[in-house]
Amino acid sequence: MLQLFLMGLLLLLTLISFTKIIRGCINLLVAFKKNGKTSKEADSAYGKIFVNAINVMLCSGCAAFVGNSQISFHTLLNILYMYLTLNLILFAHELGHYLAAKKLGIKVDSFTVGMGMKIFEREKNGTTFTFRIVPFLGFVKPKNPKDLDTLKSRQRILFASGGLIINFVLYVLGFIIVSLGKGYSLFYGIKKSFVFLFDMIIYLIHSISLDLIYTPEGSFDGQVEAMLTMSEIFSDFWMSFTVINLMLLFLNLFPIPPLDGSHIVKEVLIKSLQLLKIPKKAIRFVSGAFIAMGLLFFGSRSLINNGWDMYNELNGRWIELSLWLLFFCSVIGYFTQRKLDKKA
């Protein structure tokens, strides 16, 4: 009964988000027709389409988990613990960037945790604090992006490292508390946290492969399902707190935009080229190429994994997909024309 209720709720949320995607597409086409690609209406429509696409994929991942698992009150409680823990850790990570910005004298425009639909927003001291529904990614945006350009290289590295420093401190703290709970000493907890950290680095270096990066299970809804399947470990708060801080630390060290590691590696690369007295044009080219390669990797992974997963799900039903796409485009076209006719 509980599974049936959850599946019905997820289906309803998916339909609502899908309807909003159609409305966003209609508004986008109307904005293109009347004002061009750079209008505020177009930007707003882009945002709504992106947010609701995230909501649809999130609901898909949750539905896959509900359909493949035995759902109980205990499972739901663990998922709630997981959700709150992830938000807490992401908040702490972004707080590290925020405190670094304040230390460097940079005014912050927005402090955002998560992605997708807004669930909380408040403005304080000129900064908009926002929590979004999916506890994944986040950012601290300066009021004037050019303020970062006025900083020295080491200061920009400090700003990019703020979240990583917080995650590292919280990981060590979590490891100490877990160790103390098992009867070990404070010194043992500190020592073992560093030993485990280096062991994990060596393990990751040896285990990373293309099969791990490019896989249909790496699609957005596949990752949501995998994360929900892991929810059992969140029944032990300090253990999950320690593990997630370590995972976030490693994830953000990867030199791939928009992760923190890309900003750190970029600054180190530019500084090294400057010390070698490489011409500024060459430095700008290398810097741009590094960012482009990172975005290409990030984008190709998302495109390939989600496309691969969709291909497996379709199982050869290309005519059915084509008919649905034709219907989707027809609906958008019809309502776009109606909206243009009303404004004419």
Side-chain angles (χ1 to χ4, degrees):
M1 189 68 184
L2 181 61
Q3 278 181 293
L4 192 62
F5 170 75
L6 289 173
M7 288 294 285
L9 180 62
L10 288 167
L11 180 60
L12 178 62
L13 290 172
T14 303
L15 287 172
I16 291 169
S17 296
F18 193 71
T19 304
K20 289 182 177 180
I21 290 173
I22 293 175
R23 287 180 62 187
C25 290
I26 292 167
N27 292 335
L28 184 64
L29 289 172
V30 170
F32 280 176
K33 190 81 173 177
K34 293 182 72 67
N35 306 311
K37 296 181 182 180
T38 57
S39 66
K40 287 183 179 179
E41 291 85 354
D43 291 341
S44 174
Y46 274 129
K48 286 179 180 177
I49 292 168
F50 175 75
V51 165
N52 285 290
I54 293 294
N55 292 343
V56 167
M57 289 188 284
L58 175 65
C59 290
S60 299
C62 292
F65 172 74
V66 170
N68 296 329
S69 308
Q70 289 295 322
I71 303 297
S72 63
F73 179 75
H74 177 70
T75 306
L76 292 177
L77 203 59
N78 285 337
I79 291 171
L80 178 62
Y81 289 152
M82 178 189 72
Y83 187 78
L84 295 175
T85 305
L86 286 173
N87 273 299
L88 174 64
I89 293 169
L90 277 173
F91 172 78
H93 177 90
E94 298 306 330
L95 183 64
H97 292 301
Y98 178 79
L99 294 174
K102 289 294 183 182
K103 178 73 175 175
L104 296 167
I106 299 171
K107 292 181 179 179
V108 177
D109 178 61
S110 55
F111 179 112
T112 301
V113 175
M115 58 195 296
M117 183 176 66
K118 291 178 187 177
I119 54 175
F120 173 83
E121 186 174 72
R122 185 179 177 184
E123 188 174 336
K124 188 175 181 181
N125 299 328
T127 303
T128 303
F129 294 86
T130 306
F131 280 83
R132 294 181 179 270
I133 195 166
V134 184
F136 178 71
L137 297 179
F139 59 86
V140 170
K141 180 184 174 185
K143 278 194 180 293
N144 184 2
K146 291 182 179 178
D147 287 347
L148 290 174
D149 297 332
T150 63
L151 299 177
K152 294 178 181 178
S153 184
R154 65 175 178 272
Q155 291 175 317
R156 287 195 290 270
I157 290 174
L158 174 62
F159 175 70
S161 305
L164 299 174
I165 293 167
I166 292 287
N167 286 133
F168 175 73
V169 171
L170 293 179
Y171 156 71
V172 174
L173 175 65
F175 210 106
I176 290 169
I177 292 172
V178 171
S179 298
L180 290 173
K182 293 183 177 181
Y184 296 106
S185 66
L186 174 67
F187 177 74
Y188 175 87
I190 296 171
K191 184 183 77 171
K192 289 300 288 183
S193 69
F194 282 91
V195 170
F196 185 74
L197 179 66
F198 288 118
D199 286 345
M200 281 299 296
I201 292 170
I202 293 168
Y203 171 76
L204 285 172
I205 291 170
H206 283 98
S207 64
I208 196 162
S209 66
L210 285 176
D211 291 339
L212 190 66
I213 298 167
Y214 296 101
T215 167
E217 285 76 24
S219 63
F220 186 88
D221 51 335
Q223 290 179 69
V224 170
E225 184 183 0
M227 183 61 76
L228 290 172
T229 306
M230 284 174 57
S231 62
E232 191 62 37
I233 71 164
F234 287 85
S235 57
D236 184 336
F237 173 77
W238 285 111
M239 179 63 75
S240 61
F241 182 83
T242 306
V243 170
I244 297 300
N245 270 294
L246 182 61
M247 287 174 63
L248 196 59
L249 176 64
F250 281 137
L251 175 67
N252 274 284
L253 281 172
F254 279 98
I256 304 166
L259 303 179
D260 299 332
S262 68
H263 300 294
I264 296 168
V265 172
K266 179 189 166 188
E267 290 301 327
V268 172
L269 182 64
I270 290 172
K271 192 64 179 176
S272 302
L273 293 173
Q274 286 173 343
L275 290 172
L276 294 170
K277 296 184 178 180
I278 304 295
K280 287 185 178 180
K281 283 187 178 180
I283 292 175
R284 281 198 294 269
F285 174 78
V286 171
S287 173
F290 172 75
I291 294 171
M293 286 174 65
L295 289 171
L296 181 65
F297 172 81
F298 193 78
S300 68
R301 182 181 183 275
S302 178
L303 185 66
I304 290 170
N305 290 343
N306 284 287
W308 193 349
D309 183 51
M310 189 185 295
Y311 175 81
N312 290 340
E313 290 291 329
L314 282 170
N315 198 23
R317 294 179 294 171
W318 297 106
I319 295 175
E320 184 181 337
L321 174 65
S322 302
L323 290 171
W324 275 111
L325 286 173
L326 182 63
F327 173 74
F328 180 70
C329 293
S330 300
V331 169
I332 291 172
Y334 172 74
F335 284 102
T336 301
Q337 192 59 51
R338 279 192 62 178
K339 198 163 186 176
L340 284 169
D341 291 341
K342 284 181 180 179
K343 291 188 175 183

